[in-house]
Amino acid sequence: IIDPHLKADNAYPVYADAKRQGFFVKTKDGKDFEGHCWPGGSSWLDYLSPEVRDYWASRFLPSNYQGSTQHLYTWNDMNEPSVFNGPEITMQKDLLHHGGVEHRDVHNLYGFYMTVATQAGHEMVRPGRRPFILSRAFFAGSQRYAAVWTGDNMAEWEHLEAATPMLLQLSVTGIQFCGADVGGFFGNPDPELLVRWYQAAAYTPFFRGHAHIDTKRREPWLFGDTVTAQVRAALRSRYRVLPYIYTLFHRAHASGAPVLRPLWMEFSHDEATFGLDNAFMLGPALLVHPVTRAGLNAVSVYLPAGSAWYPFKAGLYKDAEGEGVPAQKKGLLGRLFGSKPSGTKGLSYAGGASVSVDATLDDGVPVFQRAGSIVPTRERARRGSAAMGADPYTLHVALDEAGAARGDLYADDGDSTKYANGEFDHFALSMAGGKQLSSVRVGTTAYTGGVVTKLERVVVYGLAAPPAAVTCQPEGGAAASSEFSYDKDAQVLVVRNPGVAMNAGWTMTFG
């Protein structure tokens, strides 16, 4: 955490150096402004000055930043700026910035320019690598420099409920990399609230747990095995959809399309979505309905008109003896739906109506996949995303009435800026008539430097009858038969190990 205030102490080298060069915000009388913040008496660097921003960036060089490493990233906090003894806990409006501009005219730009300078410092230290900066203050354009969060929330159900509309507001204004502190910053969440917060936040762009220093410890295992398993399932649901989320971030980078979207953005023809802010779309394909009330085992979820919907979830599976077993150990259908469907014809729900959905703590929050979409996932549980780089993909293909579906998959090295030079994989995925699934490279430049990743599985939802055969043909190669199974009750087809790479084009035919 690096704050904008510097302790007013000439024995502190950064303060003494900045004071000598006149880099602090001034009072209306031209003196260095001094206020009160965490270290006591402090002064604030004037980030509106290009010279000060360059100076700040240089502070990140290893020669100036003791303890810095190649894997050190930065959280800019208290940068509204927060001044404990100031009016409204911030700077006086008549303080002076670079060029004689009063603070009243640039208040919302202060934190923005701090993150601009911080990113420049990261780029100076680690050229060719992407920075990660988290900022409490932001402005229009901050999405180019930093992730943000909703600030100091509380461990209360009302604050969990408020998180969704707050994040939707940020998202539609262009601030896509946003989230809320899991469990609440102030106060102590009970186990149910903590689990529900993890389950909801797992599908938001920025996902972290954070709390005030005076709160009780809240590591999941401190609440017992049941809570630990429920939180673990929520975390795995996050890791599972990372390929989809990463693809959404590419879209946000390229076009500004929000990662998190209000329902009306995708379903503007459905007026019933206009007033809904208790659920959200993660990209165009997944609808997530957080559970924000205590003691609920089921919730009513509105599914927008114009599409059918398929369950998409990764909670815990209850076996016949009632013992909680991680879904990942209960087979694919168990992992996806909580249990294998029985006595039904298909899994889809019609849109344009509310449905009651089981949502116990073991079930997790309701998540639905939109018909006509393709969602890429990685199904293997790992300790972190860095260990997933060579893991195979699963494609979830949710058919619409015409047997069609579309999606895409974007991947790069996840760390460098080489993507700007075309070093990435981006493939358009499409199903036509329930008969042919294809992966076609987007663009004309073939990137060959990435890790070769396999397609491990294709799950097709809404297929009314099984095919006689499934063949898969890699681009420039020969077609080969693929193993598959079909569940007639669920109307789900699972194709296993089709023998193609996701780094190249291919076609799968359902005969």
Side-chain angles (χ1 to χ4, degrees):
I1 300 179
I2 297 182
D3 296 344
H5 51 268
L6 301 180
K7 182 178 181 180
D9 183 351
N10 285 317
Y12 178 33
V14 180
Y15 170 84
D17 191 32
K19 182 176 179 65
R20 178 180 58 82
Q21 299 187 66
F23 285 165
F24 291 128
V25 175
K26 307 296 182 184
T27 66
K28 61 182 180 180
D29 300 321
K31 299 178 180 178
D32 289 341
F33 168 68
E34 186 172 317
H36 186 77
C37 208
W38 293 124
S42 305
S43 292
W44 278 255
L45 289 167
D46 183 8
Y47 294 106
L48 277 79
S49 165
E51 186 179 3
V52 173
R53 293 200 296 272
D54 290 344
Y55 170 79
W56 181 253
S58 71
R59 298 302 92 192
F60 288 88
L61 291 170
S63 57
N64 295 323
Y65 193 158
Q66 295 182 12
S68 179
T69 74
Q70 287 297 307
H71 300 286
L72 184 69
Y73 301 98
T74 301
W75 171 2
N76 286 155
D77 200 10
M78 310 294 288
N79 55 340
E80 291 78 18
S82 180
V83 182
F84 291 163
N85 62 336
E88 300 176 310
I89 319 178
T90 190
M91 286 183 176
Q92 291 92 330
K93 294 179 174 61
D94 61 355
L95 294 181
L96 298 177
H97 292 274
H98 174 71
V101 177
E102 287 190 327
H103 185 73
R104 74 179 79 243
D105 296 321
V106 294
H107 174 80
N108 291 336
L109 285 169
Y110 185 85
F112 168 81
Y113 277 118
M114 182 185 188
T115 59
V116 170
T118 299
Q119 184 182 48
H122 280 235
E123 292 173 342
M124 187 181 295
V125 174
R126 295 185 288 268
R129 292 180 61 191
R130 288 176 241 176
F132 175 79
I133 300 162
L134 177 64
S135 178
R136 196 169 80 178
F138 50 91
F139 191 65
S142 287
Q143 66 270 20
R144 292 177 291 171
Y145 305 99
V148 306
W149 85 105
T150 57
D152 296 345
N153 55 2
M154 300 189 71
E156 298 178 358
W157 287 97
E158 291 79 4
H159 283 242
L160 171 58
E161 183 179 25
T164 295
M166 291 177 73
L167 297 178
L168 288 174
Q169 289 178 45
L170 290 173
S171 297
V172 298
T173 61
I175 309 295
Q176 295 102 338
F177 203 171
C178 57
D181 286 344
V182 173
F185 179 72
F186 291 117
N188 301 300
D190 61 50
E192 183 184 6
L193 176 58
L194 184 67
V195 170
R196 289 303 194 193
W197 216 313
Y198 270 104
Q199 291 173 342
Y203 295 95
T204 61
F206 181 59
F207 175 36
R208 71 152 185 182
H210 179 53
H212 190 274
I213 192 172
D214 292 330
T215 60
K216 296 178 181 178
R217 300 294 294 265
R218 57 175 73 167
E219 287 84 354
W221 53 87
L222 296 178
F223 295 88
D225 291 343
T226 298
V227 169
T228 300
Q230 291 163 346
V231 172
R232 181 184 292 115
L235 294 172
R236 285 183 174 176
S237 71
R238 169 66 169 208
Y239 280 91
R240 178 182 176 226
V241 297
L242 278 180
Y244 177 63
I245 292 176
Y246 200 71
T247 299
L248 293 177
F249 269 97
H250 165 70
R251 295 183 194 175
H253 169 76
S255 69
V259 176
L260 209 69
R261 307 174 184 185
L263 271 59
W264 54 258
M265 181 176 173
E266 290 293 323
F267 301 94
S268 58
H269 59 275
D270 186 352
E271 293 186 9
T273 66
F274 293 0
L276 296 180
D277 59 6
N278 61 348
F280 58 84
M281 294 295 297
L282 181 58
L286 296 181
L287 186 154
V288 182
H289 187 105
V291 178
T292 59
R293 290 286 187 271
L296 296 181
N297 291 317
V299 292
S300 177
V301 179
Y302 181 76
L303 301 175
S307 175
W309 297 88
Y310 297 87
F312 185 97
K313 60 194 277 189
L316 295 182
Y317 179 84
K318 288 287 187 179
D319 66 13
E321 289 72 38
E323 296 179 2
V325 177
Q328 288 75 2
K329 297 181 180 180
K330 281 292 180 179
L332 185 66
L333 291 180
R335 176 165 68 253
L336 300 182
F337 312 124
S339 62
K340 182 178 177 180
S342 176
T344 61
K345 290 295 183 182
L347 294 164
S348 66
Y349 292 78
S354 294
V355 297
S356 179
V357 182
D358 289 343
T360 67
L361 289 169
D362 284 353
D363 290 322
V365 297
V367 182
F368 287 86
Q369 182 174 351
R370 181 184 189 176
S373 68
I374 300 176
V375 174
T377 64
R378 277 175 161 156
E379 301 289 338
R380 300 185 182 184
R382 301 292 189 186
R383 292 182 181 273
S385 59
M388 299 169 64
D391 280 357
Y393 290 97
T394 290
L395 298 181
H396 300 263
V397 183
L399 301 182
D400 63 15
E401 292 182 349
R406 299 177 62 186
D408 62 332
L409 174 64
Y410 174 89
D412 55 31
D413 64 22
D415 181 71
S416 77
T417 57
K418 294 178 181 178
Y419 67 88
N421 299 321
E423 295 192 24
F424 59 85
D425 285 319
H426 189 196
F427 289 89
L429 308 168
S430 63
M431 171 74 96
K435 295 295 184 182
Q436 189 173 80
L437 175 65
S438 62
S439 174
V440 179
R441 183 178 292 275
V442 177
T444 58
T445 302
Y447 170 49
T448 59
V451 176
V452 176
T453 51
K454 298 294 184 180
L455 176 61
E456 181 178 40
R457 187 187 297 107
V458 174
V459 187
V460 183
Y461 309 92
L463 197 64
V470 177
T471 60
C472 195
Q473 182 175 7
E475 190 174 45
S481 296
S482 297
E483 175 191 354
F484 68 93
S485 59
Y486 180 76
D487 188 303
K488 65 179 181 179
D489 291 328
Q491 295 187 350
V492 172
L493 177 78
V494 180
V495 182
R496 295 180 176 85
N497 299 316
V500 293
M502 290 300 291
N503 306 68
W506 49 265
T507 300
M508 182 177 292
T509 303
F510 303 86

